[in-house]
Amino acid sequence: MQVMLTEEQSASLQRFFYETAQQAIAEAKHNAGVDKRFLRKGECAEWLGISRNSLNKLEREGMKSIVIDGITFFDREEVTKYLLSKQK
């Protein structure tokens, strides 16, 4: 079976698929926490693919963190800057 669409219908269908994909991507990013600028310690360690102990070591060596009411946060941008500063 073949369906024939006008150019207008084809363009409309393409827009629909594009918008649906964009929404799904945005939702997936949100659910995965990728759109978060500030990460808790466990989230940051997972994002970097390292253990919490390794993250603690980086923090002791000078990687910036934010502590509010005993909760440690890391700014993705600052973490990236710190890691890039260690690049050889």
Side-chain angles (χ1 to χ4, degrees):
M1 182 165 123
Q2 186 176 11
V3 177
M4 302 298 289
L5 301 174
T6 66
E7 285 186 35
E8 183 179 320
Q9 290 171 324
S10 178
S12 177
L13 190 57
Q14 287 176 354
R15 275 192 306 277
F16 171 77
F17 284 128
Y18 177 80
E19 290 169 4
T20 301
Q22 290 292 84
Q23 289 173 340
I25 290 168
E27 186 176 331
K29 283 182 175 180
H30 178 73
N31 291 341
V34 175
D35 59 345
K36 291 170 54 176
R37 178 172 173 180
F38 298 98
L39 304 172
R40 289 180 175 221
K41 190 168 276 195
E43 294 170 325
C44 187
E46 185 176 333
W47 175 57
L48 293 173
I50 61 175
S51 69
R52 287 178 141 223
N53 287 337
S54 294
L55 183 62
N56 290 336
K57 181 180 176 189
L58 292 174
E59 192 177 10
R60 284 191 305 273
E61 292 174 353
M63 189 166 73
K64 295 179 183 178
S65 63
I66 303 162
V67 180
I68 301 173
D69 291 333
I71 302 171
T72 304
F73 296 92
F74 294 89
D75 180 339
R76 283 182 194 257
E77 293 176 17
E78 290 298 323
V79 170
T80 301
K81 284 181 197 175
Y82 178 78
L83 293 176
L84 289 174
S85 76
K86 301 296 184 182
Q87 192 173 28
K88 295 180 181 183

